[in-house]
Amino acid sequence: GPFVLSNFTDRSFILGKLSSLLSEYNEKIISIIDLPPITISPPLYLQFNNNFTEEQQAYENIRIAAWHTHFAIYGRGSAMYRTNELYELLFQGIPNSLRNELWLLFSGAIYDKEVNLNIYRKYVYESSNVKNDHDTINEEIERDLYRALPDQEAYQHESGINALRRLLRVYACYNTDVGYCQAMNILGGVLLLYMNEEDAFWTLAALCERLLPDYYNTKVVGALIDQDIYESGKPE
């Protein structure tokens, strides 16, 4: 039932712990009224490259049904039970229509998004106005936009290129320690195919900062280490 905080004898201790926890989320929650409106790109596969054959669509429908059965039994979202059946479904591949939801969830990016309301909009605005150091970064991004996934129809059209440009510029502005480095264009391009623009941003941040540390920075130490491990394990 409900409780009254003032009734706790160690109220100051509890308040201190709560304040410490909240201080970890150092990004200001920004009122949507303070920000200019922007259009968030939906998953690009909805516009491009969604021409399944009848056989492919039938298989996709089977996978979708299997996931919904799992949701019905084990829950959905952050409350979902992690089961052996879940890992089997993951190995079989996530259907296109569920990738946005499940990539955001399993990467942990969903929690970053929830505690940083409207941050993406803030950095969309800021990244379009910053100069100086970001001019060089923006030039690098421009060079890599059309190299990302040239075989994908989405990136042969301005709507896809514009979404990728915004995503990479926003991340460079958001994480100034990393900025932009090569291969982020490919990673961002894949995310945008199946995720809306804001969710792709938070998933990109989770990948670069937590899931693949030291892969996407100027020194790419993580990638070099993994490459050495791979090479050392190859047969002579």
Side-chain angles (χ1 to χ4, degrees):
F3 62 87
V4 180
L5 185 60
S6 59
N7 291 340
F8 283 79
T9 56
D10 52 354
R11 184 167 64 94
S12 297
F13 173 78
I14 294 173
L15 288 174
K17 287 294 185 181
L18 288 173
S19 298
S20 176
L21 177 63
L22 291 173
S23 68
E24 294 178 11
Y25 305 120
N26 54 10
E27 292 288 0
K28 177 185 176 184
I29 296 180
I30 301 167
S31 170
I32 196 170
I33 300 174
D34 298 332
L35 299 171
I38 63 170
T39 300
I40 299 293
S41 172
L44 294 173
Y45 88 93
L46 295 174
Q47 299 173 261
F48 307 100
N49 298 329
N50 195 29
N51 300 319
F52 280 161
T53 65
E54 288 186 11
E55 183 178 355
Q56 289 171 328
Q57 188 60 59
Y59 178 63
E60 186 81 345
N61 291 340
I62 291 172
R63 293 198 300 169
I64 292 171
W67 275 98
H68 282 285
T69 298
H70 189 276
F71 294 151
I73 299 172
Y74 298 109
R76 190 166 187 168
S78 57
M80 184 195 311
Y81 285 99
R82 303 305 197 256
T83 65
N84 290 333
E85 291 87 347
L86 172 62
Y87 295 111
E88 290 176 9
L89 288 173
L90 289 172
F91 280 123
Q92 293 169 16
I94 299 175
N96 290 354
S97 60
L98 293 174
R99 287 182 179 181
N100 192 138
E101 173 187 349
L102 295 177
W103 284 0
L104 190 71
L105 173 66
F106 294 137
S107 68
I110 187 173
Y111 307 110
D112 300 321
K113 180 183 177 182
E114 287 176 352
V115 299
N116 289 290
L117 298 178
N118 300 321
I119 286 296
Y120 185 71
R121 292 191 176 198
K122 170 181 181 285
Y123 281 105
V124 166
Y125 176 74
E126 289 190 3
S127 65
S128 64
N129 290 282
V130 293
K131 300 295 181 182
N132 302 324
D133 292 344
H134 279 269
D135 286 344
T136 301
I137 291 175
N138 288 342
E139 289 174 6
E140 294 178 15
I141 290 172
E142 287 299 317
R143 285 197 297 268
D144 284 348
L145 286 176
Y146 293 91
R147 303 173 186 171
L149 298 168
D151 58 327
Q152 291 290 329
E153 185 182 358
Y155 299 112
Q156 298 168 14
H157 291 76
E158 283 305 304
S159 57
I161 291 296
N162 289 339
L164 182 57
R165 178 185 291 112
R166 279 194 304 273
L167 175 67
L168 297 176
R169 284 187 175 185
V170 167
Y171 186 74
C173 190
Y174 169 77
N175 187 343
T176 54
D177 290 335
V178 173
Y180 171 77
C181 68
Q182 286 189 339
M184 275 187 185
N185 58 330
I186 298 173
L187 182 58
V190 171
L191 294 175
L192 286 171
L193 285 176
Y194 301 105
M195 307 183 80
N196 74 58
E197 193 178 317
E198 184 175 8
D199 290 348
F201 164 76
W202 288 113
T203 306
L204 177 66
L207 286 166
C208 293
E209 296 164 21
R210 288 199 308 273
L211 301 179
L212 295 171
D214 298 322
Y215 258 68
Y216 295 95
N217 57 35
T218 54
K219 297 181 180 179
V220 294
V221 175
L224 293 174
I225 291 173
D226 282 352
Q227 182 178 349
D228 285 344
I229 293 172
Y230 172 75
E231 292 293 337
S232 65
K234 290 172 64 176
E236 296 293 336

